[in-house]
Amino acid sequence: MKYKKLLQKSFSRRAALIAGGKFVLISALISRMYYLQVIRADHYKVLSDKNRFNLRVVLPHRGQILDRWGAAIATSKPSYQLVLVPELCPDTNRTLENLNYIFPLTTFEMKRIQKEIKKTPGFIPILIKDNLSWDDAAQVSVNAPELSGVSVEVVERRFYPQKEKTGHIFGYVSPPSVQDLKKNSLLSIPGVRLGKTGIEKSHEEVLRGKPGSRQLEVDSVGRLVRELERKEAVKGKDIFVTLDIDLQRYVLEKINGESATVVVMNCQTGDVLSLASSPSFDPNKFISGFSNEEWKQLVQDTKSPLVDKTISGQYNPGSTFKMITALAALEKKAITTKTKFFCKGFIELGDSKFHCWRKHGHGACNITRALRESCDVFFYEMAKRTGIDSIANMARKFGLGDLSGIGIENEANGLIPDRKWKIKNKDQGWHLGETLISGIGQGYVLTTPLQMAVMTSRMVNGGYAVKPFLVRDNKSDSYATEGTGFPKIDISSSSMEIILKGMNQVTNHPAGTAYSSRINMYGMEMGGKTGTSQVRRIHEEEREENYPKKIKPWIERDHALFVGYAPVKNPKFVVAIVVEHGGSGSTKAAPIARDVLMEIQRRNKKYST
């Protein structure tokens, strides 16, 4: 009996311990279930949905860039790319190993992919391979069960059908930089391309559009079951530009591979019809990639094919600047149409000689003859009477020394010097000799070809401060579109008439420097001004040895310049040309201007009928 009581007591203690243990375990289980199903319910619901649903960003179609007649300059075409969505891939290492049997991945590629997986949100696809063929895309689909999280996406690839003809102006697109990604993480999505130069960059927001989204139901290996919801992307806007691609092609044919630049403008509306910089580059290469040899050749070329000379090239304008000096002198009453200076081939100032391009001089010249025959001595004397500050003020009225506002990055300001500039930048006073050489467009004076075209437009359109336009809201109907609305420059009409008379005689008077390049067709005649810009100073000893006439290395030859307009009566079109190291403006640049101005007038008649 006593033993039985002891057994019951032992059993009760053991039962209590077991019961207590069970209670603790059940309590812990209940607590855990409460935590998971009540407290953390929302969190695990999201995780559960992610195993079944996938949110994809839909990239918008990038807007096209079209010329004034609708010809494509920048467009897009479909391309296949291979991507990996980390959140749909349970074992990324295994998936990459399986993928490696289909598409061998280099060690560098593997490290890049793994690095991006760690730093990128799981729902954002990681680019594995770009520009896949149709056969490659099909092979991925066949092996989909072993490639969880991997898919082939159809994306847009930028294409530039005009190739080198428009490389500088419109630029190119490429993947976002590190700085871009810091601003917007969505830019890391494969297929996103941003404008890096030219119109592609300056109008990036307009061209890019706005992304959309897709909510997808997927199976255990990430294959699409169905689309649940879609928010459409907003396509980027198409941009019409004032450029005429056929004219651009014609201009480049006339340049014929020279290191040169040509700007063609409608002087009444400001429409830029051609911006040609040669040599150029194919922007498609920035999409497909350069070989090491191709890139090395491009960056080492002495003719600078990567530089847009139309807006970034800065040149001494030479004699094309003489109209500015003449206007400043006429407005200041420093000279009149009756003023004459005698040119004996040079002018002396102290111990220095300032030479005219014609060794034995021009004799007695008035303002019209000085412009027609480009007499340097006349402009030395005129600049001396006028002063550098007056010349600089006049130059700025005509758009020199400042950005044109055309809306392309890397546009250069040029340089119009005066006394204040010299003190501020050189910590020196201005010298009279510097006024003389500035008066003929040498020395510190620098302009871009686009600025030269703007200057000429303002001179020949009646004195209106026209500005250049490259991008229009809508397609222009014709070259004949007029009605500028630009403010009038405060210059007397009598002074402008004197300048136009001289420019007319440059091409249409037998003694004019560009008479051999005149347009003989009635109603299409052109006016203009030749220029020759020295790239190095010729010392007196070299001049005595007749160095200017010697055959020099290409890099030491003068630049050839010409600014012109047509028709002479009621001018509509202007052209500004620089042929680097081309020698004389009358023999190298003026013939190109003649052909271009004839062509643009032919096209104008065609489009206006």
Side-chain angles (χ1 to χ4, degrees):
M1 191 72 178
K2 185 178 181 181
Y3 173 77
K4 187 176 181 181
K5 289 182 178 180
L6 287 173
L7 184 63
Q8 288 177 346
K9 192 174 184 179
S10 174
F11 178 78
S12 298
R13 187 183 301 114
R14 189 181 301 158
L17 290 173
I18 292 173
K22 286 182 178 181
F23 178 78
V24 171
L25 289 173
I26 291 171
S27 298
L29 181 60
I30 292 173
S31 299
R32 182 63 177 169
M33 291 175 66
Y34 180 82
Y35 174 78
L36 294 175
Q37 295 186 25
V38 179
I39 297 177
R40 298 283 287 171
D42 293 339
H43 172 72
Y44 286 102
K45 184 178 184 301
V46 171
L47 290 181
S48 176
D49 288 341
K50 281 191 173 183
N51 287 330
R52 185 181 175 195
F53 302 116
N54 178 238
L55 185 66
R56 300 280 182 90
V57 176
V58 179
L59 295 179
H61 295 291
R62 192 173 180 86
Q64 298 183 92
I65 301 176
L66 309 166
D67 87 336
R68 67 190 297 118
W69 311 116
I73 293 172
T75 186
S76 301
K77 58 183 182 180
S79 176
Y80 298 104
Q81 65 180 14
L82 191 64
V83 300
L84 168 67
V85 181
E87 71 175 11
L88 299 179
C89 181
D91 189 343
T92 54
N93 290 330
R94 183 176 178 181
T95 297
L96 291 175
E97 288 176 6
N98 293 337
L99 186 62
N100 200 32
Y101 288 110
I102 304 172
F103 299 105
L105 300 172
T106 65
T107 304
F108 174 79
E109 288 175 321
M110 291 287 281
K111 288 182 178 179
R112 175 188 64 81
I113 294 168
Q114 290 168 345
K115 183 178 179 181
E116 289 190 19
I117 289 173
K118 292 179 181 178
K119 69 177 184 180
T120 306
F123 67 92
I124 294 182
I126 304 297
L127 178 64
I128 298 175
K129 287 279 188 181
D130 204 1
N131 301 325
L132 269 67
S133 66
W134 170 253
D135 290 339
D136 291 337
Q139 197 170 3
V140 173
S141 298
V142 170
N143 292 276
E146 287 76 36
L147 301 174
S148 58
V150 174
S151 62
V152 174
E153 299 284 344
V154 180
V155 296
E156 286 188 341
R157 186 180 181 189
R158 205 62 164 165
F159 177 61
Y160 303 95
Q162 309 301 334
K163 299 182 179 180
E164 290 87 351
K165 297 177 184 64
T166 56
H168 292 113
I169 313 164
F170 300 100
Y172 57 89
V173 298
S174 66
S177 65
V178 175
Q179 289 75 17
D180 294 326
L181 295 177
K182 288 180 179 178
K183 296 176 184 177
N184 187 351
S185 61
L186 286 178
L187 296 178
S188 62
I189 298 171
V192 171
R193 297 292 183 269
L194 302 182
K196 293 297 179 179
T197 61
I199 294 297
E200 289 277 28
K201 181 175 182 178
S202 62
H203 289 72
E204 169 62 30
E205 294 296 327
V206 175
L207 289 166
R208 189 196 311 170
K210 296 181 179 179
S213 61
R214 299 169 67 201
Q215 188 176 19
L216 309 175
E217 184 178 355
V218 295
D219 62 16
S220 59
V221 294
R223 286 178 299 195
L224 175 65
V225 175
R226 57 176 173 154
E227 182 176 278
L228 301 174
E229 186 179 343
R230 172 186 284 264
K231 180 183 178 182
E232 295 293 345
V234 179
K235 180 184 179 296
K237 292 183 179 179
D238 292 342
I239 289 178
F240 278 96
V241 295
T242 61
L243 204 76
D244 181 340
I245 194 60
D246 289 333
L247 178 66
Q248 179 87 347
R249 186 179 296 110
Y250 179 87
V251 168
L252 287 167
E253 287 173 358
K254 287 299 172 182
I255 293 176
N256 195 28
E258 295 272 6
S259 182
T261 174
V262 177
V263 179
V264 184
M265 270 183 66
N266 184 320
C267 65
Q268 297 173 349
T269 65
D271 284 5
V272 176
L273 307 173
S274 177
L275 280 173
S277 180
S278 174
S280 184
F281 61 89
D282 183 358
N284 292 302
K285 282 290 185 180
F286 284 91
I287 311 297
S288 60
F290 290 92
S291 67
N292 290 335
E293 187 60 33
E294 287 174 330
W295 182 250
K296 182 178 179 181
Q297 185 177 358
L298 200 61
V299 297
Q300 292 183 351
D301 192 330
T302 56
K303 294 183 178 180
S304 304
L306 291 174
V307 176
D308 185 355
K309 300 179 179 71
T310 61
I311 62 169
S312 299
Q314 298 187 92
Y315 307 91
N316 291 131
S319 295
T320 63
F321 187 78
K322 287 177 178 177
M323 289 89 71
I324 294 293
T325 304
L327 279 172
L330 289 167
E331 289 296 288
K332 193 178 180 180
K333 311 298 183 184
I335 65 162
T336 68
T337 53
K338 297 180 180 180
T339 303
K340 290 186 177 182
F341 296 116
F342 187 85
C343 172
K344 59 182 179 180
F346 63 89
I347 182 176
E348 293 179 300
L349 184 66
D351 296 332
S352 301
K353 282 185 178 181
F354 294 81
H355 294 268
C356 184
W357 69 267
R358 181 177 286 177
K359 186 174 181 180
H360 300 294
H362 291 85
C365 287
N366 63 9
I367 179 63
T368 303
R369 185 187 175 195
L371 282 168
R372 179 181 73 216
E373 301 177 28
S374 202
C375 174
D376 292 327
V377 166
F378 186 94
F379 284 89
Y380 291 146
E381 294 283 7
M382 188 162 52
K384 187 166 59 173
R385 288 191 179 189
T386 307
I388 188 60
D389 289 339
S390 295
I391 295 172
N393 289 337
M394 184 62 66
R396 295 185 184 109
K397 289 182 179 181
F398 284 83
L400 303 182
D402 198 5
L403 300 179
S404 69
I406 196 171
I408 307 177
E409 66 165 5
N410 297 326
E411 182 183 2
N413 289 76
L415 175 59
I416 299 300
D418 56 18
R419 295 178 184 277
K420 289 182 179 179
W421 173 87
K422 182 80 181 293
I423 292 173
K424 181 179 178 180
N425 293 275
K426 302 291 183 180
D427 197 24
Q428 296 176 2
W430 188 266
H431 302 295
L432 183 57
E434 293 171 326
T435 301
L436 269 60
I437 61 174
S438 295
I440 62 167
Q442 294 284 165
Y444 296 119
V445 180
L446 293 172
T447 59
T448 68
L450 179 59
Q451 288 175 343
M452 292 164 61
V454 172
M455 172 194 76
T456 309
S457 295
R458 294 182 179 187
M459 285 181 178
V460 305
N461 69 2
Y464 289 94
V466 64
K467 290 187 176 182
F469 289 98
L470 185 58
V471 176
R472 289 292 194 187
D473 291 334
N474 298 300
K475 177 181 173 183
S476 299
D477 293 327
S478 167
Y479 287 143
T481 302
E482 297 181 13
T484 64
F486 299 109
K488 193 80 177 286
I489 300 173
D490 184 21
I491 302 289
S492 66
S493 57
S494 59
S495 296
M496 299 293 287
E497 288 173 5
I498 294 167
I499 301 303
L500 289 177
K501 181 180 179 181
M503 294 177 73
N504 183 8
Q505 291 191 11
V506 166
T507 54
N508 299 307
H509 189 284
T513 54
Y515 183 69
S516 61
S517 297
R518 66 193 179 281
I519 296 177
N520 283 320
M521 298 181 68
Y522 179 76
M524 297 177 67
E525 298 89 348
M526 77 172 185
K529 184 70 190 77
T530 55
T532 303
S533 173
Q534 291 182 351
V535 298
R536 67 181 292 272
R537 183 178 179 183
I538 301 173
H539 299 287
E540 196 64 36
E541 298 79 14
E542 293 176 320
R543 191 176 297 277
E544 291 176 1
E545 294 173 2
N546 207 24
Y547 180 80
K549 298 289 184 181
K550 289 183 179 180
I551 298 176
K552 296 171 280 188
W554 179 80
I555 199 69
E556 292 185 6
R557 297 175 194 171
D558 298 336
H559 296 323
L561 302 92
F562 187 85
V563 294
Y565 63 96
V568 168
K569 293 183 179 179
N570 189 26
K572 186 169 291 185
F573 307 109
V574 302
V575 62
I577 299 175
V578 178
V579 181
E580 291 187 335
H581 311 293
S584 169
S586 60
T587 58
K588 200 70 176 180
I592 298 174
R594 173 198 60 210
D595 294 344
V596 171
L597 285 171
M598 285 182 67
E599 176 67 14
I600 190 66
Q601 289 182 92
R602 289 195 193 101
R603 296 177 69 80
N604 181 52
K605 287 185 177 181
K606 170 186 173 183
Y607 294 130
S608 297
T609 56

